[in-house]
Amino acid sequence: MTKFIFPKNEILPANKIFLSIVSLDEWELIKVSGQDKKKYLNSQITADINLLKSNKYILCGHCNNKGKIYSTLLIFKRKKNYFYILRKNIAKKQIQEIKKYSIFSIVKFSKEKKLFFFGVLGKNARNFLKNFFSILPNKHNSVIHENNITVIFIYNVIERFILVSSYKVLVKILKKNTNISYFNSSNQWLSIDIEEKIPIIESQNLLNFFPQEINLDKFKNSISYKKGCYLGQEQIVKIKYNNFNKRSLKFLYCIYDDKNSFFPGDLVYVKIKKKWIKKGVLLSSVTVHNKIYAQVVLNKIYNKEKIYKIRSNYFHVKK
């Protein structure tokens, strides 16, 4: 869970962030425990859990039996248990669904109540964290555990870290930094997810997409096509080997104005001849400095257009 809600400052693009300590209050931490946790979890998620080591995390998916995504999960190990992070507004539904077949297994899925987490990101993030850790995670060892703190390293356009530990331990780190301008809301983290094309599934888009349609297959070990049976495997494998995927995830932007508010599930339109035709769906959006960032899923035939429309705003593809 998260107990940290920080002051809201301006949301900046990745290349402008020097150091930001951000709340992750829009995300939830789920604990998976019990003697059958590994076997059962492997039967439910798209990744092969046998590839998950204590020094790694995996971004994967949880689907229904038709291969449609309930949620993306950032999954990692801590001590004897598995944990995963997902969007808070789908956590309750996702837990209900993932434990649906657990009647004959000794496994428990629960919202974590003893551990808390927040994010640290920016050009100076690593130097800031060196004050507290003898070693930090990197591209080869993306998770480290030190002094009862788990540190998860995510890197693409910017270095990002998630710190997971008890409330008391994490507060000690925060007290070392008194510069309020470095703190920010969870929207700063969300904006980087959009920049890095990490798929964001909110409650409005449950069961709307196959994993490949949100580019989950672009992440290492996210989807296994060879492990034993798991929910949705048949359809997911069929999409891969028969090239059935007709949609893809894109990063769009427009110049900010206050005319519209945008919501997950909003339709994305493409102009064909003289008509605007719906050819995509909005996953998430956030205002970043003087722009609006949008993560969308588009029909592949139309994912190279010069202009798109969501409500009355015109968006462009961000390369």
Side-chain angles (χ1 to χ4, degrees):
M1 67 183 293
T2 181
K3 199 173 182 179
F4 300 103
I5 300 177
F6 301 141
K8 294 182 179 180
N9 286 303
E10 182 182 17
I11 307 302
L12 298 174
N15 62 2
K16 300 292 185 181
I17 302 171
F18 178 69
L19 173 65
S20 190
I21 301 170
V22 300
S23 163
L24 295 176
D25 58 301
E26 294 299 321
W27 282 262
E28 193 78 64
L29 180 63
I30 308 300
K31 179 180 179 180
V32 187
S33 56
Q35 69 181 49
D36 296 331
K37 58 185 177 292
K38 183 176 182 179
K39 180 179 179 182
Y40 184 78
L41 197 55
N42 212 33
S43 71
Q44 300 296 304
I45 62 174
T46 58
D48 185 348
I49 202 70
N50 294 299
L51 299 178
L52 181 62
K53 309 302 179 184
S54 62
N55 66 332
K56 298 285 185 180
Y57 73 86
I58 294 177
L59 181 68
C60 62
H62 170 221
C63 303
N64 67 0
N65 57 6
K66 296 181 180 179
K68 293 293 186 77
I69 281 275
Y70 280 116
S71 175
T72 55
L73 314 174
L74 191 156
I75 187 166
F76 61 97
K77 295 176 71 174
R78 178 182 161 93
K79 298 181 178 178
K80 296 181 179 180
N81 298 309
Y82 294 100
F83 293 84
Y84 59 82
I85 297 171
L86 76 168
R87 294 293 283 172
K88 180 173 284 188
N89 63 25
I90 59 174
K92 183 178 179 180
K93 176 66 174 177
Q94 192 274 333
I95 291 174
Q96 289 175 348
E97 294 300 327
I98 201 167
K99 67 181 185 181
K100 185 185 291 185
Y101 304 99
S102 66
I103 187 169
F104 299 114
S105 300
I106 302 174
V107 62
K108 182 179 180 181
F109 293 84
S110 58
K111 295 181 180 180
E112 177 55 39
K113 296 180 179 180
K114 294 182 179 180
L115 296 175
F116 298 80
F117 59 106
F118 59 79
V120 180
L121 64 156
K123 298 173 184 176
N124 201 42
R126 184 172 291 274
N127 286 334
F128 171 75
L129 292 174
K130 282 180 180 178
N131 295 314
F132 310 102
F133 301 96
S134 62
I135 187 171
L136 286 169
N138 53 41
K139 293 180 182 179
H140 304 292
N141 297 287
S142 55
V143 179
I144 63 107
H145 311 274
E146 184 177 309
N147 298 327
N148 201 35
I149 304 175
T150 297
V151 184
I152 302 167
F153 176 63
I154 302 170
Y155 178 73
N156 188 337
V157 300
I158 192 174
E159 287 198 325
R160 294 193 284 169
F161 302 85
I162 300 174
L163 277 60
V164 182
S165 189
S166 69
Y167 182 73
K168 185 177 180 180
V169 169
L170 293 180
V171 164
K172 287 181 180 179
I173 294 177
L174 294 177
K175 284 183 176 180
K176 296 286 186 178
N177 182 66
T178 58
N179 190 335
I180 197 169
S181 66
Y182 288 154
F183 289 91
N184 216 332
S185 71
S186 60
N187 275 346
Q188 183 66 83
W189 194 270
L190 177 65
S191 74
I192 307 302
D193 275 355
I194 293 175
E195 284 200 59
E196 296 185 350
K197 299 179 183 177
I198 295 176
I200 303 153
I201 300 297
E202 306 282 17
S203 58
Q204 297 92 331
N205 284 314
L206 286 178
L207 303 181
N208 282 351
F209 308 103
F210 294 111
Q212 295 97 325
E213 291 179 330
I214 58 171
N215 293 15
L216 198 58
D217 54 329
K218 306 296 184 185
F219 297 87
K220 187 176 181 180
N221 296 328
S222 288
I223 302 175
S224 173
Y225 300 101
K226 298 179 180 179
K227 73 167 182 172
C229 293
Y230 60 91
L231 280 179
Q233 181 192 38
E234 183 178 352
Q235 185 61 35
I236 292 168
V237 171
K238 187 182 295 184
I239 288 171
K240 174 178 172 61
Y241 292 109
N242 292 292
N243 196 26
F244 284 165
N245 183 24
K246 304 300 182 185
R247 297 196 280 187
S248 65
L249 183 146
K250 291 292 178 182
F251 170 18
L252 306 183
Y253 74 96
C254 74
I255 301 302
Y256 173 77
D257 67 51
D258 57 2
K259 293 178 182 177
N260 290 312
S261 296
F262 302 95
F263 302 95
D266 281 351
L267 297 175
V268 182
Y269 293 85
V270 178
K271 196 170 187 179
I272 302 173
K273 295 182 178 179
K274 295 183 178 181
K275 292 185 178 181
W276 288 97
I277 309 296
K278 56 183 180 182
K279 292 298 178 182
V281 177
L282 177 68
L283 296 188
S284 188
S285 64
V286 65
T287 301
V288 180
H289 191 44
N290 62 346
K291 293 184 174 67
I292 298 171
Y293 286 3
Q295 184 179 96
V296 304
V297 174
L298 296 170
N299 186 310
K300 279 188 173 181
I301 297 175
Y302 303 103
N303 68 8
K304 293 183 180 179
E305 301 295 320
K306 292 183 178 180
I307 194 165
Y308 301 86
K309 187 168 76 168
I310 306 174
R311 296 184 180 264
S312 61
N313 286 58
Y314 297 101
F315 286 77
H316 304 272
V317 174
K318 187 74 173 179
K319 301 298 184 181

